[in-house]
Amino acid sequence: MNKKNLILLVVLSNFAFAFGQDINYFHNLTEQLQYSDCIAYKLYDYNSNSIDYSQGSLFRIPKNEDNSNFFAILGKGFVKIKSIETGKEYYTRAGHILFDEDYNLLLMPGFEFYHNESKKSINKIEISREGLLTIFFIDNTIQEIKIKVFMPTKECDIKCYGNRYYFSDVQEMEQESEFFQGFVEMSNVNKIGVLLEIQSLLLKMAEKNEISHIVYEYNLLLCKELFVLYSTSAEYDLSISFSEQAFESIKLVEAKEILQRFILK
């Protein structure tokens, strides 16, 4: 667990023990910060079951990192992926293509984007601005696939798993979005804005005596440290997006263990 996530866990732990009625809202805020370095994560509000679809900035992958296996979507829409384990369908904008042992294309470990029935080795892939995926096999044959883009309907039930989403009902979009190979879309989280919201709520609760001044001052100190960490980051660390795609809810037992080490009772 890196320093940022450790601080977030401690902050959320304080919230959990201080005021149970608002825990969902504060969990939502801290989760937004958790996923803020996760490619193509969209702000998700548990209370309204809604997603902020605003565009994240595009980040160019250096050519020496074989950037042909990356793509970003400019515009609306999500691409479909399927859980290899359960067959359940999810949707994402995280454009980092991986290959499994059978040369199926995955967009994150365990979630298939293209099923390679031939199991032939793939030499390279290309993605056009219009979303045409061209697969070049090792035997010099090629296959072209139009990447479909989907949006959830207004009545859709949504569940957020970082930058992977479950939509109960979707509609296929006419091709309006563009695809940029060699780029990824960053999250649309305003980290400083979320931290300011957390600080504002901390102050409000301290004034109402819902939390003690010791808890308020301690969490304020943690928030200030996050300000420093977020404002001095020189470059994006994309590893969290590839190795830890499916963060689950923070476990209370982990929160208690950290509280025992860090919180003055």
Side-chain angles (χ1 to χ4, degrees), residues 182-194:
F183 290 79
V184 289
E185 180 189 7
M186 306 312 297
S187 77
N188 62 357
V189 176
N190 180 344
K191 300 177 185 179
I192 302 303
V194 174

Side-chain angles (χ1 to χ4, degrees), residues 77-96:
F78 297 78
V79 295
K80 184 188 297 184
I81 54 177
K82 181 182 291 188
S83 169
I84 296 173
E85 182 179 355
T86 67
K88 193 172 182 178
E89 293 178 342
Y90 297 87
Y91 298 84
T92 188
R93 290 170 63 92
H96 178 216

Side-chain angles (χ1 to χ4, degrees), residues 20-262:
Q21 67 272 20
D22 290 326
I23 186 59
N24 288 334
Y25 179 50
F26 279 89
H27 174 75
N28 200 176
L29 288 175
T30 54
E31 188 176 67
Q32 289 172 7
L33 291 178
Q34 253 188 340
Y35 291 130
S36 60
D37 290 326
C38 194
I39 59 171
Y41 168 70
K42 298 297 181 185
L43 280 166
Y44 175 68
D45 187 339
Y46 285 98
N47 296 323
S48 61
N49 190 37
S50 63
I51 297 176
D52 177 355
Y53 297 109
S54 60
Q55 182 76 46
S57 59
L58 300 190
F59 177 78
R60 183 191 291 272
I61 303 297
K63 290 185 178 180
N64 60 2
E65 295 185 16
D66 189 17
N67 65 0
S68 62
N69 286 359
F70 296 84
F71 69 87
I73 302 174
L74 185 63
K76 295 181 179 180
F78 297 78
V79 295
K80 184 188 297 184
I81 54 177
K82 181 182 291 188
S83 169
I84 296 173
E85 182 179 355
T86 67
K88 193 172 182 178
E89 293 178 342
Y90 297 87
Y91 298 84
T92 188
R93 290 170 63 92
H96 178 216
I97 297 177
L98 307 168
F99 300 97
D100 67 9
E101 63 276 8
D102 293 323
Y103 284 90
N104 298 306
L105 273 56
L106 317 177
L107 284 188
M108 52 190 71
F111 294 89
E112 193 175 84
F113 177 54
Y114 160 77
H115 184 68
N116 181 11
E117 293 184 358
S118 68
K119 297 186 179 182
K120 293 188 297 185
S121 298
I122 294 175
N123 186 25
K124 67 174 183 176
I125 58 174
E126 291 181 358
I127 300 175
S128 72
R129 291 278 287 269
E130 296 74 29
L132 183 65
L133 170 64
T134 304
I135 302 174
F136 297 84
F137 293 99
I138 198 70
D139 62 0
N140 294 323
T141 59
I142 64 172
Q143 183 175 1
E144 294 183 336
I145 303 165
K146 187 70 169 67
I147 301 176
K148 295 181 180 180
V149 181
F150 302 86
M151 281 290 287
T153 61
K154 291 182 179 179
E155 298 78 19
C156 175
D157 179 44
I158 300 172
K159 292 182 180 178
C160 174
Y161 304 92
N163 57 5
R164 169 172 58 89
Y165 303 88
Y166 166 76
F167 300 144
S168 62
D169 188 35
V170 297
Q171 57 186 8
E172 185 177 342
M173 295 178 58
E174 295 183 5
Q175 192 67 52
E176 296 178 354
S177 303
E178 293 183 274
F179 290 76
F180 286 82
Q181 191 170 15
F183 290 79
V184 289
E185 180 189 7
M186 306 312 297
S187 77
N188 62 357
V189 176
N190 180 344
K191 300 177 185 179
I192 302 303
V194 174
L195 280 171
L196 288 172
E197 178 68 12
I198 290 175
Q199 289 190 358
S200 175
L201 287 163
L202 276 170
L203 178 59
K204 178 181 177 182
M205 289 183 297
E207 290 174 343
K208 290 183 176 181
N209 293 320
E210 293 177 340
I211 58 175
S212 70
H213 287 281
I214 294 177
V215 172
Y216 167 71
E217 293 291 345
Y218 184 74
N219 282 284
L220 190 63
L221 182 64
L222 292 172
C223 287
K224 288 179 179 178
E225 188 168 353
L226 283 174
F227 268 120
V228 174
L229 287 171
Y230 288 132
S231 61
T232 58
S233 178
E235 59 184 13
Y236 291 111
D237 178 11
L238 298 179
S239 61
I240 189 173
S241 304
F242 308 146
S243 62
E244 299 179 43
Q245 289 286 351
F247 277 120
E248 299 295 338
S249 299
I250 295 175
K251 297 177 182 178
L252 198 57
V253 62
E254 294 174 351
K256 287 181 179 179
E257 290 173 357
I258 290 180
L259 278 174
Q260 289 173 358
R261 295 198 299 269
F262 291 94

